[in-house]
Amino acid sequence: KHPIGPALLWSPCYLAAHAYVVVDHALGGPYLPSGYAPPYRRSVALGTLALVVLGSALLLRVLERQAGRGAARWALVALLGAAPILFYALVASAMSHGAAFGVAAALVFALDRLRRAPTPGAWLLAGALLGLVTLTRWQAAVLALAFVPVALALWRERRLRVPDGLLAVGAALLTFAPQMLAWRRLYGSLVTMPQGGGFVDWSSPHLLETLFSADHGLFTWTPLTALGLLGLLALLRREGALAWGALLACAATAWVNGGVDDWAAGEAFGARRYDVALPFLGLGLGQAVRLGEAWGRRRPLAAPALVVLLAVAWNAGFASLFRQRLYGGPLPLDALP
């Protein structure tokens, strides 16, 4: 019932772990080449961490261009440390969320590159990453909306070529094709919803809950993401196409999340289903930190850094309580440390 993208992304690390276990076992080591020994599980964790680091490095380049080096770094600290990705990169790394975040962050980089230099290679890269992030998290298909404002802006500037757009579509479909082949083998159809047709109510009856509820609401559990949303609005004047695309991607993600049968995502840490939208909100966080930096004089980054560190401490405290299984859903206020 889950996508095959994470397994494909983890496979290089997994195969390296298998080679290590085979050699170690031949030399009398304790691990059996069963596929489930600790080195295999650690390889998945390292694969997730590698994807998060790579995607973050690419996203940082975009943030530095837009907000400056100092603001960009603090925005990235906020995105990684004060959001659910901290948990899914370091604790529950065998779930898809860390990997999806890394690929989505790379997609933001590719869209920024496409907006500035719409070469065939840029279209090909952006399309391939859209297919790859959808292969990792099916709901990420809505990130295709982020392409629309970029394409419209290029069309107005007479820099949009239809063959390049078709190249991006072809790359996306080709990258997603392994999932369709797996669905065909398992369910008899190239496109399906394994959880059943009633898994998503497309009227999104729980849209507001998935954003504001104490039961894993995005803005409730991760307050700095609200600053990221406001930052995207402020970014519209400077980076109109990219900011509009980010807003569309976040809105579509929220709409889908609000329609899922178990909209609170079960016993999850935070709003985990916003994994693919977080890099887009990171663009807004960069702008928010940049605006906060403008208020300071002697130490312009002092106030934004303090806010970020407090949010990181808040999030890390929640992660610690969650690991101890002290709560699973909403946490009563009097139970907070």
Side-chain angles (χ1 to χ4, degrees):
K1 291 185 178 181
H2 299 286
I4 66 171
L8 296 176
L9 290 169
W10 292 327
S11 59
C13 295
Y14 190 84
L15 292 173
H18 179 65
Y20 162 75
V21 171
V22 168
V23 173
D24 181 70
H25 181 68
L27 297 175
Y31 302 122
L32 294 175
S34 62
Y36 295 97
Y40 293 101
R41 300 198 296 271
R42 292 170 188 150
S43 73
V44 169
L46 289 173
T48 293
L49 192 59
L51 289 166
V52 170
V53 170
L54 177 60
S56 298
L58 293 174
L59 181 62
L60 182 63
R61 293 179 60 179
V62 181
L63 293 174
E64 286 180 340
R65 185 185 66 80
Q66 292 181 351
R69 179 171 296 181
R73 289 178 176 178
W74 280 109
L76 189 62
V77 169
L79 191 63
L80 295 175
I85 295 306
L86 174 71
F87 185 85
Y88 291 103
L90 300 177
V91 181
S93 49
M95 296 184 74
S96 64
H97 305 293
F101 169 86
V103 182
L107 176 60
V108 172
F109 168 82
L111 283 170
D112 176 69
R113 179 184 175 189
L114 176 63
R115 175 69 185 97
R116 292 182 291 112
T119 62
W123 280 101
L124 183 66
L125 176 64
L129 286 171
L130 175 63
L132 185 59
V133 72
T134 308
L135 188 69
T136 308
R137 292 278 286 150
W138 303 327
Q139 71 178 70
V142 299
L143 301 186
L145 292 173
F147 283 73
V148 175
V150 173
L152 288 175
L154 293 174
W155 176 73
R156 287 195 298 268
E157 297 165 3
R158 297 185 178 181
R159 294 197 295 163
L160 176 63
R161 297 176 65 249
V162 173
D164 293 341
L166 294 177
L167 189 65
V169 173
L173 292 175
L174 183 63
T175 310
F176 187 69
Q179 182 63 72
M180 292 190 289
L181 294 176
W183 278 337
R184 174 79 179 203
R185 179 65 180 269
L186 292 172
Y187 302 106
S189 176
L190 289 174
V191 178
T192 187
M193 185 176 293
Q195 293 87 348
F199 183 64
V200 179
D201 182 346
W202 297 107
S203 67
S204 192
H206 301 288
L207 174 62
L208 294 180
E209 287 98 325
T210 194
L211 292 171
F212 299 103
S213 172
D215 195 0
H216 303 95
L218 175 66
F219 297 147
T220 308
W221 277 58
T222 313
L224 285 189
T225 54
L227 284 179
L229 183 62
L230 295 175
L232 282 176
L233 296 176
L235 191 63
L236 287 172
R237 294 183 62 183
R238 298 179 60 241
E239 299 279 352
L242 197 61
W244 274 117
L247 287 169
L248 286 174
C250 293
T253 300
W255 189 269
V256 173
N257 289 345
V260 178
D261 185 30
D262 61 332
W263 59 268
E267 192 176 337
F269 177 76
R272 62 181 175 89
R273 288 190 176 127
Y274 283 92
D275 47 6
V276 296
L278 286 174
F280 292 93
L281 289 170
L283 296 176
L285 276 174
Q287 185 68 9
V289 176
R290 176 176 173 270
L291 294 175
E293 182 182 13
W295 293 344
R297 293 185 180 181
R298 294 183 179 180
R299 297 176 184 267
L301 279 171
L306 179 61
V307 172
V308 168
L309 290 175
L310 288 173
V312 170
W314 170 273
N315 192 52
F318 266 121
S320 176
L321 293 173
F322 189 83
R323 290 191 68 188
Q324 299 174 56
R325 297 188 177 274
L326 295 179
Y327 74 98
L331 190 63
L333 191 60
D334 57 4
L336 289 174

